[in-house]
Amino acid sequence: MTGRAAPVVAPAVAGDSRLFRTVLGAFATGVTVVTVGGARPHGMTANAFASVSLDPPLVLVCIDRKAVMHEVMAAAEYFAVSVLAASQEGVARHFADDWRPRGRAQFEAVDWSPGEVSGAPLIRGAAAWLECALWRSYDGGDHTIVLGRSLAMGRRADEDALLFHGGRFRRFAEEP
């Protein structure tokens, strides 16, 4: 016995994007809505979000080069991240829908308020939120890796975050 588990999905060569997505689906993530305010407000659902550094306080979000947010973010000075609560699956689906209205109209379907520092929309009821100044951007293949320096943040201690795993939205299980 080697101690290695048998693969559930047959191994494949690099470049198999469907298998790559399936494999990465085994990693549970939180679900966020990333927003930009100003003259062209925009929001998008993102689960490619992570902390980067405590000093300075940096986070990253990865944005598809084909997404509307890619162009909007490139012109922005600030952005906000709302870490969605377990009860906000509908909000996640709304900002993932390519057919939603553009501009300010896309925010009419959700409860939000402008960030005090960034002016970017913050989703009310979110488990946590950050307002960030655009710090750096890096090439990430078909995505751009955007780093933001946190200027303001908050967390609701009474809210569990919405999860994404295996291509589905999930919630924390209650402890026995």
Side-chain angles (χ1 to χ4, degrees):
M1 191 174 232
T2 64
R4 293 175 55 190
V8 175
V9 179
V13 296
D16 183 341
S17 60
R18 176 175 272 150
L19 177 58
F20 188 62
R21 179 173 269 216
T22 298
V23 168
L24 295 179
F27 182 69
T29 66
V31 182
T32 69
V33 170
V34 177
T35 57
V36 172
R40 263 183 88 189
H42 189 71
M44 72 166 215
T45 299
N47 70 331
F49 168 80
S51 62
V52 175
S53 168
L54 293 175
D55 186 19
L58 300 175
V59 296
L60 71 75
V61 63
C62 297
I63 302 173
D64 190 316
R65 292 182 185 278
K66 294 179 280 186
V68 172
M69 180 59 91
H70 192 268
E71 179 185 331
V72 174
M73 183 71 81
E77 186 177 349
Y78 301 102
F79 66 95
V81 179
S82 297
V83 178
L84 297 184
S87 63
Q88 293 181 309
E89 180 179 334
V91 175
R93 290 187 182 282
H94 173 74
F95 285 103
D97 184 352
D98 289 336
W99 296 100
R100 73 184 180 282
R102 296 293 179 232
R104 294 190 193 293
Q106 71 189 285
F107 293 97
E108 292 174 5
V110 298
D111 193 13
W112 66 277
S113 59
E116 291 182 22
V117 175
S118 67
L122 294 169
I123 307 300
R124 286 199 179 120
W129 57 268
L130 300 104
E131 292 184 81
C132 301
L134 191 62
W135 200 65
R136 303 258 195 302
S137 295
Y138 299 97
D139 179 11
D142 59 1
H143 283 61
T144 295
I145 303 164
V146 176
L147 269 66
R149 181 182 175 116
S150 179
L151 304 173
M153 65 194 97
R155 181 168 194 275
R156 291 181 56 195
D158 63 335
E159 285 291 336
D160 282 339
L162 180 63
L163 301 177
F164 194 74
H165 176 263
R168 294 177 34 208
F169 291 105
R170 311 276 183 150
R171 295 175 185 220
F172 285 101
E174 290 294 322
E175 294 181 30

